[in-house]
Structure formats: C-alpha cells, structure tokens
Amino acid sequence: MAQTPAYEVVVVGGGPAGLTTALYATRLGHRTALVNREGGRYESVSFVHNLVGVSEETSGRDVTELAIDQLEEYGADYYCDDVRAVEEVERDRAAATEFENESDDTQFRVTAENVALRADRVVLATGFTDVPPRVRDLRRFTGRGLHYCVHCDAYTLGDEPVFVLGHEDHAAEVAMLLLNFTDEVDVLLNDEDPDWSDDVAEQVETHPVAVVEDRVDHAFAAEDSDHATGDDAPWLGGLEFADGRTREYGGGFAVYGREYNNDLAAALGCDLRDDGAVAVDEDRETSVSGVYAVGDLTHGQNQTPIAIGDGAYAGIALHKDLRQFPVAPDELDRVPDLGVPAMPDDLRARMWRVRAADEHAGMTPPDE
C-alpha cells in the first residue's frame, strides 16, 4: 500500500488567500501542499482590479497560474483536486514529517477525490459562492457587465447607466453608493417587493435612483463596447423586461447575498459566525487547534489585496507555530537533539537552485 504523503501544512483552496498562505509557508521552510479544485471562483474573474503592479488585462486565472508556478518553484506540492473531507486523526509516527512539533499528538487527514494527504496544520481557503440573479442569459456576462464587487468594478462602469439587481437594504445601499460614479442608477426589484428598512426607504426616496419593479426577462450582448476584454467574449449590452421594453446598461451588480463554503470547517467543529463565515483569531486560527482559515471564507470582503494579507498573516503565524528555533526556555534540554538548520534538506536544495536561477516564476518587469 502506498504511503499517504505527509506535510506540515496543507492548504485547501487556491484563491489569493490560499496561494499566499502556501507561498509563505513554503518559503519559511515548511513542507507544504496546496489542493485546489479547478475552476474556482477566483479563476473566473475576468479582470483583477486594485492589485498593485498588476494591469487591467490580468485575469484571476492568470494570477492563479503564475502563483502555482511560484509555489512549485519554491518546493510546494500542488494538487488539482476537490477536497471532500478534512478530519482530525491520531498521529501516525511512521508517516510524520521529519521536523514535526512533538508536543502535538494529533494530525489531520485531507481526503480529496483522487488523493489523501496527512497534515500537521490545515488551512481552509474555500471562500464563498455568490447567489446569482434569476435573469435568463445574464450569468454569461459575469465579469463583463455583471459584477458582484462594487469596490472593484464601480470604477469600470463610471459615467454609464448601471443597474443593481436586488430588493433588500444592501441592494439599495449599493445603488446609492454608485451615485459617486454615475448619475444613472436603476434598482431592479425583478418582480419582488422591496424589503428595506424605514431609514433605507427614506434614503432611496431622497436619492436620485430609479426603482424599477418589473420582471427582467433576459440579458443581451452589446454590439459595440468601449470596454476592452482582451478576447472575443461579449460585454453586456443591456436587459429586456417582461413587457418587451429594453434598456441599455454599461453593466450592473447582483446583490442577493453569498453562501460561505464552510462545510469542511463545520464538519471539523470550527465556530461559525451568524452569517456562516468561519470565526478566526488574529492569527487566522479557528476554534479548532491546528486549523486555520483565510480569505473570503472568514469575512466575505471579496477583495484580492485583503485576501493576500490574510494569507501572509496566516503563513507567518504557521511558521511561529511550527518552527524549531528558537527553543522555548523550558525546553532547552531538547537543543542537542535538534539538527541545524531545521529546514528540510530538499527544500534547502531547492532554495539554492532558486537563488542561482537567472529567471523566476511569476510576473517579471518588461525588458528595457
């Protein structure tokens, strides 16, 4: 029987938070694996915004592929697989990593569709799923006129007619926020009754937003567009209503909430917040010792830079948790039994190759 691969850190989820956590853990000398289900939410992002040094033409898939190349260059293992379960199990000393925390008597088993791994620490980076609008043909314009993050994409739609699909307080608030960017904002109730508070109702009545009650039948593509897409995929042209009226829009936002992908965390017994997000401390550790959570799974901010920051915090916290040196004052008698340097030989060999390489994975400055 093949031995189950063992790691100090296994990251589940390959968005910017998970990728950054794995990057930090690997470069800090820990045997690390990342398991990522292909076609995740971040890979579907057509254009990444608000990421310093990254151009408007860069997609989520571009960032993901570059980051995976970096991880493998530094020595992490990457598995394109769908994790089905994470469970706490008794430590298998025969399969334990060479430089383990001997005071910890538990490990985790990460079971994916095609592979099973063992880990000293697990990081959940499974994000959330947007609740889509119930409008025919609209979802095909995701990232190309249909958006979910106003802080990312309001700039893209400035000075154009825009819509907000939704009927609760948050939809109305997004619509009013968009008035900072354009003077044509429609709130599309899509045959639903408005379900906003008295204060929000008063705001909506006072702000110059149009509330449209009619059902939206379907979306149609733009014949010509000023939005550069970088390929032949069409941009949203507008919407047709049930009565046959059409309205051209530069784009808009669906505001129906989100569903946190918290099944793995819940099965482990991690505490959840009222909205379903996974509760973590300042180190991004959950209520279950050894289980960390990062990115949108913990707050739903839907921002690449924030997710990257979460990953950096978690990566450093994992290093402090797992590293051999410095040895605590009450354990100094262990020092003679610990090898120096503590970083595994193969990862140190990879470190030397990376340092000696003329070219590295990831984005590089243009040649002058």
Side-chain angles (χ1 to χ4, degrees):
M1 179 180 294
Q3 189 179 58
T4 302
Y7 297 89
E8 286 185 282
V9 178
V10 171
V11 180
V12 181
L19 290 165
T20 305
T21 305
L23 182 69
Y24 268 73
T26 303
R27 281 179 52 89
L28 288 170
H30 303 288
R31 200 174 305 284
T32 303
L34 186 142
V35 189
N36 180 40
R37 175 176 58 84
E38 188 175 16
R41 184 172 179 274
Y42 193 68
E43 291 181 49
S44 70
V45 173
S46 300
F47 308 104
V48 174
H49 301 297
N50 299 333
L51 186 55
V52 172
V54 176
S55 73
E56 293 280 318
E57 295 84 14
T58 306
S59 69
R61 181 176 291 277
D62 292 333
V63 174
T64 300
E65 290 176 351
L66 290 167
I68 292 169
D69 288 344
Q70 283 185 308
L71 288 176
E72 293 183 327
E73 180 179 63
Y74 293 132
D77 289 335
Y78 175 78
Y79 298 90
C80 182
D81 211 337
D82 188 5
V83 173
R84 303 299 179 83
V86 180
E87 54 190 337
E88 199 168 0
V89 296
E90 291 300 319
R91 181 176 293 276
D92 180 355
R93 291 294 176 181
T97 57
E98 180 180 357
F99 298 102
E100 65 180 2
N101 184 342
E102 295 180 355
S103 65
D104 190 347
D105 293 326
T106 61
Q107 267 188 320
F108 299 92
R109 181 179 179 88
V110 178
T111 304
E113 186 173 351
N114 299 300
V115 69
L117 311 174
R118 295 185 71 96
D120 294 334
R121 303 291 184 271
V122 170
V123 183
L124 303 177
T126 50
F128 66 76
T129 301
D130 297 294
V131 178
R134 294 187 296 274
V135 174
R136 183 160 52 96
D137 292 337
L138 182 55
R139 292 178 69 179
R140 73 185 179 104
F141 297 107
T142 299
R144 301 171 186 277
L146 172 64
H147 306 281
Y148 293 93
C149 174
V150 68
H151 296 103
C152 303
D153 296 300
Y155 183 96
T156 304
L157 305 179
D159 284 333
E160 298 197 47
V162 299
F163 65 83
V164 176
L165 271 160
H167 55 276
E168 297 183 343
D169 278 3
H170 187 45
E173 290 161 358
V174 168
M176 291 183 287
L177 188 154
L178 286 167
L179 292 171
N180 291 295
F181 301 88
T182 181
D183 60 359
E184 295 185 75
V185 182
D186 293 350
V187 180
L188 306 182
L189 299 181
N190 197 21
D191 217 17
E192 297 279 355
D193 293 328
D195 186 22
W196 39 61
S197 67
D198 292 342
D199 286 344
V200 169
E202 184 177 0
Q203 286 180 290
V204 170
E205 186 174 347
T206 305
H207 283 73
V209 299
V211 178
V212 181
E213 298 178 353
D214 301 340
R215 181 173 66 84
V216 183
D217 185 76
H218 68 273
F220 56 85
E223 294 182 4
D224 298 300
S225 176
D226 294 332
H227 296 279
T229 62
D231 55 36
D232 295 329
W235 191 274
L236 174 72
L239 303 173
E240 182 169 325
F241 295 85
D243 62 4
R245 290 183 303 110
T246 62
R247 169 82 152 117
E248 292 185 355
Y249 290 103
F253 298 85
V255 186
Y256 292 105
R258 59 178 65 96
E259 296 176 353
Y260 288 95
N261 302 323
N262 60 19
D263 291 352
L264 297 175
L268 281 163
C270 301
D271 289 345
L272 305 180
R273 303 193 189 281
D274 291 342
D275 62 354
V278 176
V280 294
D281 63 18
E282 63 181 9
D283 290 330
R284 280 54 174 180
E285 188 170 14
T286 71
S287 60
V288 176
S289 179
V291 179
Y292 293 72
V294 293
D296 282 336
L297 178 63
T298 68
H299 49 58
Q301 289 288 334
N302 201 20
Q303 297 286 307
T304 298
I306 292 175
I308 289 172
D310 283 346
Y313 267 105
I316 293 170
L318 284 160
H319 178 54
K320 291 180 179 178
D321 188 16
L322 291 165
R323 68 190 180 190
Q324 290 294 306
F325 299 103
V327 174
D330 59 348
E331 296 181 355
L332 291 177
D333 58 339
R334 297 176 59 233
V335 172
D337 299 325
L338 300 176
V340 178
M343 188 175 178
D345 292 345
D346 60 320
L347 292 183
R348 287 186 9 256
R350 181 68 66 99
M351 173 186 70
W352 280 100
R353 290 199 298 274
V354 169
R355 283 161 52 177
D358 294 327
E359 296 182 358
H360 299 283
M363 294 184 180
T364 56
D367 294 333
E368 295 184 359

